[in-house]
Amino acid sequence: MNWQNERQKLVDTMQKLDRLGMVSGSSGNASVRLPAAGTKKKLFLVTPAGVSYDTLTIDQIVLVDEEMSPIGRDAGIPSSEALLHKAVYDSRRDVDAIIHTHSVYASVQAVKAEAIPPIIDEMVVYIGGTIEVSEYGFPGTVELAEKSVEALGDRRAAIIRNHGMFAVADSLKEALRVAELVERIAKIYVNAKTSGTIVPVPDHAVEAEREMYLKRTGLKLA
Ligand SMILES: [Zn+2]
Protein backbone atom coordinates (compact mmCIF):
# COMPACT_ATOMS: atom_id res chain seq x y z
CA MET A 1 0.00 0.00 0.00
CA ASN A 2 1.36 3.39 -0.97
CA TRP A 3 -0.91 5.73 1.04
CA GLN A 4 -1.18 8.23 -1.83
CA ASN A 5 -4.16 10.10 -0.32
CA GLU A 6 -2.50 10.44 3.08
CA ARG A 7 0.74 11.62 1.46
CA GLN A 8 -1.16 14.19 -0.59
CA LYS A 9 -2.94 15.50 2.52
CA LEU A 10 0.43 16.03 4.25
CA VAL A 11 1.79 17.90 1.22
CA ASP A 12 -1.37 20.05 1.03
CA THR A 13 -1.18 20.78 4.78
CA MET A 14 2.46 21.89 4.69
CA GLN A 15 1.83 24.05 1.64
CA LYS A 16 -1.16 25.67 3.34
CA LEU A 17 0.99 26.38 6.44
CA ASP A 18 3.65 27.81 4.10
CA ARG A 19 1.08 30.11 2.44
CA LEU A 20 -0.17 31.20 5.88
CA GLY A 21 3.43 32.05 6.84
CA MET A 22 3.34 29.55 9.73
CA VAL A 23 6.32 27.59 8.38
CA SER A 24 9.11 28.86 6.19
CA GLY A 25 11.68 27.03 4.08
CA SER A 26 11.87 23.54 5.55
CA SER A 27 11.12 24.50 9.19
CA GLY A 28 8.16 22.81 10.87
CA ASN A 29 6.81 19.35 10.11
CA ALA A 30 3.77 17.10 10.25
CA SER A 31 2.87 13.43 10.56
CA VAL A 32 -0.09 11.06 10.58
CA ARG A 33 -0.71 7.68 12.18
CA LEU A 34 -1.85 5.23 9.48
CA PRO A 35 -4.77 2.86 10.02
CA ALA A 36 -3.56 -0.60 11.13
CA ALA A 37 -5.29 -2.28 8.12
CA GLY A 38 -5.21 -5.81 9.48
CA THR A 39 -1.51 -5.80 10.31
CA LYS A 40 0.06 -5.47 13.74
CA LYS A 41 2.64 -3.05 12.41
CA LYS A 42 2.25 0.55 13.49
CA LEU A 43 2.98 2.83 10.56
CA PHE A 44 3.25 6.58 10.22
CA LEU A 45 3.90 9.11 7.48
CA VAL A 46 6.23 12.00 8.34
CA THR A 47 7.38 15.02 6.35
CA PRO A 48 11.02 14.75 5.25
CA ALA A 49 14.04 16.53 6.76
CA GLY A 50 15.42 19.55 4.96
CA VAL A 51 12.96 19.78 2.06
CA SER A 52 11.48 23.17 1.21
CA TYR A 53 7.67 23.03 1.42
CA ASP A 54 7.04 24.97 -1.77
CA THR A 55 8.64 22.13 -3.74
CA LEU A 56 7.49 19.19 -1.55
CA THR A 57 6.07 16.19 -3.46
CA ILE A 58 4.15 13.13 -2.23
CA ASP A 59 7.12 10.83 -3.01
CA GLN A 60 9.23 12.75 -0.50
CA ILE A 61 6.88 11.99 2.40
CA VAL A 62 8.59 9.32 4.53
CA LEU A 63 6.89 6.06 5.62
CA VAL A 64 8.22 5.09 9.07
CA ASP A 65 7.63 2.44 11.74
CA GLU A 66 6.83 3.16 15.39
CA GLU A 67 10.51 3.88 16.11
CA MET A 68 10.38 6.50 13.33
CA SER A 69 12.79 4.42 11.23
CA PRO A 70 12.19 4.74 7.46
CA ILE A 71 10.65 1.71 5.75
CA GLY A 72 11.83 0.59 2.32
CA ARG A 73 14.66 1.58 0.04
CA ASP A 74 14.86 5.25 -0.97
CA ALA A 75 12.40 6.06 1.82
CA GLY A 76 14.17 9.33 2.57
CA ILE A 77 15.02 10.88 5.93
CA PRO A 78 12.17 11.78 8.29
CA SER A 79 12.01 15.20 9.94
CA SER A 80 14.69 15.90 12.56
CA GLU A 81 11.85 16.31 15.09
CA ALA A 82 10.46 12.82 14.46
CA LEU A 83 11.18 11.90 18.11
CA LEU A 84 8.69 14.57 19.21
CA HIS A 85 6.05 12.91 17.03
CA LYS A 86 6.94 9.45 18.39
CA ALA A 87 6.68 10.62 22.01
CA VAL A 88 3.23 12.14 21.40
CA TYR A 89 1.88 9.03 19.59
CA ASP A 90 3.29 6.80 22.35
CA SER A 91 1.59 8.76 25.11
CA ARG A 92 -1.69 9.75 23.43
CA ARG A 93 -3.78 7.00 21.79
CA ASP A 94 -6.36 9.62 20.77
CA VAL A 95 -3.84 11.44 18.55
CA ASP A 96 -3.61 10.47 14.86
CA ALA A 97 -2.02 13.64 13.45
CA ILE A 98 0.60 16.15 14.60
CA ILE A 99 1.70 19.53 13.21
CA HIS A 100 4.78 21.39 14.44
CA THR A 101 5.46 24.98 13.42
CA HIS A 102 7.85 27.84 14.19
CA SER A 103 5.01 30.35 13.69
CA VAL A 104 5.84 33.88 14.84
CA TYR A 105 3.37 34.67 17.64
CA ALA A 106 3.58 31.22 19.24
CA SER A 107 7.36 31.66 19.06
CA VAL A 108 7.11 35.01 20.86
CA GLN A 109 5.52 33.11 23.76
CA ALA A 110 8.18 30.40 23.38
CA VAL A 111 10.88 33.03 23.80
CA LYS A 112 9.14 34.59 26.79
CA ALA A 113 8.49 31.07 28.19
CA GLU A 114 5.01 32.35 29.04
CA ALA A 115 1.92 30.11 28.89
CA ILE A 116 -1.30 31.50 27.37
CA PRO A 117 -4.21 31.25 29.84
CA PRO A 118 -7.80 30.81 28.60
CA ILE A 119 -8.54 34.21 27.03
CA ILE A 120 -10.93 33.18 24.24
CA ASP A 121 -13.89 30.78 24.73
CA GLU A 122 -13.12 28.55 21.74
CA MET A 123 -9.60 28.00 23.05
CA VAL A 124 -10.83 25.78 25.88
CA VAL A 125 -13.36 23.96 23.67
CA TYR A 126 -10.86 23.10 20.91
CA ILE A 127 -7.49 23.06 22.71
CA GLY A 128 -8.54 21.99 26.19
CA GLY A 129 -7.37 24.99 28.22
CA THR A 130 -4.13 26.84 28.89
CA ILE A 131 -1.44 26.53 26.21
CA GLU A 132 1.53 25.55 28.37
CA VAL A 133 5.22 26.10 27.58
CA SER A 134 7.61 23.15 27.83
CA GLU A 135 10.89 23.24 29.69
CA TYR A 136 13.90 23.64 27.42
CA GLY A 137 15.08 20.67 25.36
CA PHE A 138 17.72 20.62 22.63
CA PRO A 139 16.21 20.27 19.10
CA GLY A 140 15.86 16.72 17.80
CA THR A 141 16.44 15.05 21.18
CA VAL A 142 14.41 12.71 23.39
CA GLU A 143 14.67 15.41 26.05
CA LEU A 144 12.78 17.92 23.88
CA ALA A 145 10.22 15.22 23.03
CA GLU A 146 9.62 14.33 26.70
CA LYS A 147 9.37 17.92 27.89
CA SER A 148 6.95 18.68 25.04
CA VAL A 149 4.68 15.75 25.96
CA GLU A 150 4.74 16.93 29.57
CA ALA A 151 3.61 20.43 28.53
CA LEU A 152 0.90 18.94 26.27
CA GLY A 153 -0.82 16.94 29.03
CA ASP A 154 -4.31 16.01 27.83
CA ARG A 155 -4.67 19.14 25.70
CA ARG A 156 -4.26 19.53 21.93
CA ALA A 157 -1.42 22.05 21.72
CA ALA A 158 1.66 23.27 23.57
CA ILE A 159 4.48 25.76 23.07
CA ILE A 160 8.04 24.45 22.90
CA ARG A 161 10.37 26.77 24.81
CA ASN A 162 12.76 28.83 22.66
CA HIS A 163 11.52 26.91 19.62
CA GLY A 164 7.90 26.93 18.43
CA MET A 165 4.63 25.07 18.97
CA PHE A 166 2.83 21.84 18.09
CA ALA A 167 -0.80 20.87 17.65
CA VAL A 168 -2.35 17.40 17.79
CA ALA A 169 -5.73 15.93 16.82
CA ASP A 170 -7.49 12.83 15.53
CA SER A 171 -7.09 14.00 11.91
CA LEU A 172 -4.71 16.20 9.95
CA LYS A 173 -7.54 18.57 9.08
CA GLU A 174 -8.35 19.07 12.75
CA ALA A 175 -4.65 19.41 13.71
CA LEU A 176 -4.35 22.18 11.11
CA ARG A 177 -7.38 23.90 12.57
CA VAL A 178 -5.84 23.69 16.07
CA ALA A 179 -2.45 24.96 14.81
CA GLU A 180 -4.10 27.96 13.14
CA LEU A 181 -6.14 28.62 16.29
CA VAL A 182 -3.01 28.54 18.49
CA GLU A 183 -1.27 31.09 16.28
CA ARG A 184 -4.35 33.34 16.23
CA ILE A 185 -4.70 33.14 20.03
CA ALA A 186 -0.98 33.84 20.51
CA LYS A 187 -1.32 36.90 18.25
CA ILE A 188 -4.33 38.16 20.25
CA TYR A 189 -2.49 37.55 23.53
CA VAL A 190 0.71 39.31 22.46
CA ASN A 191 -1.22 42.31 21.13
CA ALA A 192 -3.60 42.51 24.11
CA LYS A 193 -0.70 42.34 26.53
CA THR A 194 1.12 45.27 24.95
CA SER A 195 -1.99 47.42 24.96
CA GLY A 196 -3.50 46.79 28.38
CA THR A 197 -4.85 44.45 31.00
CA ILE A 198 -6.08 41.01 29.94
CA VAL A 199 -9.43 39.76 31.23
CA PRO A 200 -9.46 35.94 31.20
CA VAL A 201 -12.48 33.74 30.47
CA PRO A 202 -14.40 33.35 33.81
CA ASP A 203 -13.64 30.14 35.74
CA HIS A 204 -17.20 28.76 35.50
CA ALA A 205 -17.09 29.13 31.70
CA VAL A 206 -13.66 27.45 31.51
CA GLU A 207 -15.07 24.54 33.50
CA ALA A 208 -18.09 24.14 31.18
CA GLU A 209 -15.93 24.52 28.07
CA ARG A 210 -13.44 21.98 29.37
CA GLU A 211 -16.27 19.45 29.67
CA MET A 212 -17.22 20.23 26.06
CA TYR A 213 -13.58 19.63 25.07
CA LEU A 214 -13.44 16.27 26.84
CA LYS A 215 -16.71 15.22 25.19
CA ARG A 216 -15.40 16.27 21.76
CA THR A 217 -12.11 14.42 22.12
CA GLY A 218 -13.47 11.41 24.01
CA LEU A 219 -10.78 11.95 26.66
CA LYS A 220 -11.54 10.95 30.24
CA LEU A 221 -11.64 13.53 33.00
CA ALA A 222 -8.22 13.79 34.62
ZN1 LIG B 1 11.08 22.78 15.16
Side-chain angles (χ1 to χ4, degrees), residues 83-149:
L83 289 178
L84 163 67
H85 295 246
K86 173 180 158 41
V88 175
Y89 289 125
D90 284 351
S91 70
R92 290 275 299 269
R93 299 298 309 162
D94 60 307
V95 171
D96 289 323
I98 302 169
I99 290 174
H100 164 55
T101 77
H102 296 173
S103 47
V104 173
Y105 285 94
S107 297
V108 169
Q109 293 306 109
V111 167
K112 291 167 80 180
E114 182 187 9
I116 307 176
I119 49 163
I120 298 283
D121 286 311
E122 64 181 322
M123 174 178 176
V124 189
V125 179
Y126 293 106
I127 296 172
T130 298
I131 305 170
E132 301 285 355
V133 183
S134 73
E135 284 178 39
Y136 183 79
F138 195 79
T141 64
V142 173
E143 190 194 8
L144 178 140
E146 284 173 354
K147 307 255 187 227
S148 300
V149 165

